[in-house]
Amino acid sequence: MSSSAPEWQAMSKLVSQVYAKADAEPFREPVDWKALGLFDYPQVIKKPMDLGLIKKKLNEQKYKSIHDAADDVRLIWKNCMTYNADGSDFYNLAQTMAKKFEEKFEKLCAQNEVAAAAGGGEGGAGGAPQEPTIEEKRAFAKSLYKIGKEELGRVIMDLDVKCPKALIKNSAEDEVEINVDLISPVAFVEVRD
């Protein structure tokens, strides 16, 4: 795909806007784990990512689709939330930035007609996934009962980053409910796999 296409220009602009935010400061460059004394960081975080690298990869046209670039942005938040304790300042910052990014990325896809339109679109290369069928949603919901706690935790963390509207949290009872019908088609495919 050409980087001059409107969706690529919009994606570069979105990443630059995120990069420019004051709150993005910890995410602009790779985590300097040695200087910070975080010697377990390489064992916990297998694929480090930062906004500076994403900007560079966008400029060098290294991504196949804007969804691939968005996945790298999501990886930044996921890494931060994986390494830092739930409720910590960094965890909360990553969670907030992830939600804002998802809202803006969803708008970007809609404005540039990147996501497959309801009832149309060929689901071909570069196109967004189609809305999952009722059977696929049921199968996914049933599969959640068969996976272990750690894997379920990963699914919930992924959904919290990629599609937070699908989670209903009850902090009083430390429970999370997943509303399968509210999972976006893109998030559904990524979380299901």
Side-chain angles (χ1 to χ4, degrees), residues 85-169:
D86 188 351
S88 70
D89 289 345
F90 281 116
Y91 185 99
N92 291 342
L93 178 61
Q95 198 170 39
T96 301
M97 293 195 73
K99 286 177 182 165
K100 288 179 183 170
F101 172 77
E102 289 305 325
E103 288 167 11
K104 290 183 177 180
F105 183 68
E106 208 170 295
K107 281 183 192 166
L108 181 156
C109 289
Q111 289 169 348
N112 291 282
E113 298 175 355
V114 173
E122 328 68 53
Q130 297 293 322
E131 184 71 31
T133 64
I134 296 255
E135 290 76 26
E136 288 173 318
K137 288 178 183 179
R138 280 192 188 130
F140 174 71
K142 282 183 182 176
S143 74
L144 294 175
Y145 290 100
K146 298 174 186 169
I147 61 177
K149 285 184 212 171
E150 285 196 11
E151 197 174 343
L152 181 59
R154 276 194 293 277
V155 169
I156 291 169
M157 277 180 57
D158 279 353
L159 281 173
D160 201 27
V161 169
K162 295 174 183 170
C163 194
K165 67 183 179 200
L167 297 179
I168 301 153
K169 297 177 184 176

Side-chain angles (χ1 to χ4, degrees), residues 22-40:
D23 287 348
E25 200 271 323
F27 308 110
R28 290 181 189 145
E29 295 176 358
V31 172
D32 190 352
W33 57 270
K34 287 181 185 171
L36 295 168
L38 307 173
F39 298 106
D40 61 341

